[in-house]
Amino acid sequence: MKHLLISLGFVASCTLSATTAFANSGAVATVPGATTTANVVTAGGKPITLLGEPVQVGDDAPQFTVVNERFEKVSLSDFADKTVMISVVPSLDTGVCSTQTKRFNDEASALGDDVVLLTISNDLPFAQKRFCTKEKVNKIMVLSDSVWRDFGNKYGLLIKDMGLLTRAILIIDKHGKVAYKELVKDISNEPDYDTALMMVK
């Protein structure tokens, strides 16, 4: 697994413990017969395949359940009547994902009480808690899809054979509709922050 991450350019700031966690968590099975999407996303220029049913702007946002740092269930339904922005990252222990998460944490205060900002990755909750404490990420909710892969499969964002989520931004409006989606074409790159922040406001 470590060599695979190196080949994709992820390992600039990865720790050995994070790599081990992914190797262990990757054993969790995905939904049998899951839809696959190819040739829309690359990692360091190499095509990757995504698992799950992709959502499109205008769709009803699928309900999903993830966990927080205490392994407590958190569901989309917990944020009813709120606008929800979801920043999706492969691993908080990499440079681009760290930058993305800290950027949205810095912007969170300006979004108002009607907006909830979530970061979701397949990092284990222990690793997420360590990252948030170290980087002072305390204005957004950082959640893990590592237990059931429910979010990744329902939104078509799970990378086949890696157990990681691809990089994306989603905005779900107060009516539960997908209002905005950016599927970052190469997961080595950062998302379009300005457009996402403009749309959520």
Side-chain angles (χ1 to χ4, degrees):
M1 183 64 174
K2 182 176 178 182
H3 296 306
L4 177 59
L5 291 177
I6 291 172
S7 70
L8 297 178
F10 283 146
V11 91
S13 61
C14 280
T15 63
L16 180 60
S17 60
T19 306
T20 303
F22 282 129
N24 293 335
S25 64
V28 178
T30 57
V31 175
T35 299
T36 61
T37 303
N39 302 317
V40 295
V41 175
T42 61
K46 298 180 180 181
I48 58 176
T49 297
L50 302 179
L51 299 176
E53 192 66 38
V55 298
Q56 306 299 334
V57 172
D59 289 352
D60 291 327
Q63 289 294 323
F64 63 84
T65 301
V66 289
V67 295
N68 63 18
E69 64 180 33
R70 295 178 295 278
F71 281 89
E72 296 167 338
K73 290 183 179 181
V74 178
S75 299
L76 180 61
S77 59
D78 295 337
F79 310 109
D81 301 321
K82 300 276 189 180
T83 297
V84 181
M85 176 187 278
I86 306 174
S87 170
V88 189
V89 298
S91 172
L92 295 172
D93 278 321
T94 63
V96 176
C97 299
S98 175
T99 298
Q100 180 175 331
T101 303
K102 290 187 286 186
R103 170 67 186 271
F104 283 122
N105 186 70
D106 291 342
E107 299 282 355
S109 297
L111 298 181
D113 295 336
D114 291 335
V115 177
V116 175
L117 210 162
L118 312 177
T119 287
I120 300 180
S121 74
N122 277 354
D123 295 291
L124 294 176
F126 311 113
Q128 292 183 335
K129 182 178 181 179
R130 184 189 68 243
F131 170 85
C132 291
T133 299
K134 178 182 176 182
E135 301 295 342
K136 297 181 174 58
V137 172
N138 52 18
K139 296 182 177 65
I140 62 177
M141 295 186 68
V142 178
L143 302 168
S144 175
D145 195 35
S146 64
V147 178
W148 304 289
R149 302 293 199 271
D150 190 45
F151 172 76
N153 278 302
K154 287 182 176 177
Y155 283 75
L157 300 175
L158 185 64
I159 303 174
K160 184 180 180 182
D161 298 327
M162 290 183 66
L164 303 175
L165 296 172
T166 194
R167 192 178 310 284
I169 303 293
L170 296 161
I171 298 175
I172 300 168
D173 68 19
K174 296 178 182 180
H175 306 291
K177 298 283 189 179
V178 178
Y180 175 81
K181 175 184 176 181
E182 181 190 5
L183 189 63
V184 180
K185 291 183 179 180
D186 192 299
I187 58 177
S188 302
N189 298 329
E190 295 176 53
D192 182 350
Y193 302 112
D194 292 339
T195 300
L197 291 166
M198 178 183 68
M199 293 294 294
V200 79
K201 291 176 181 179

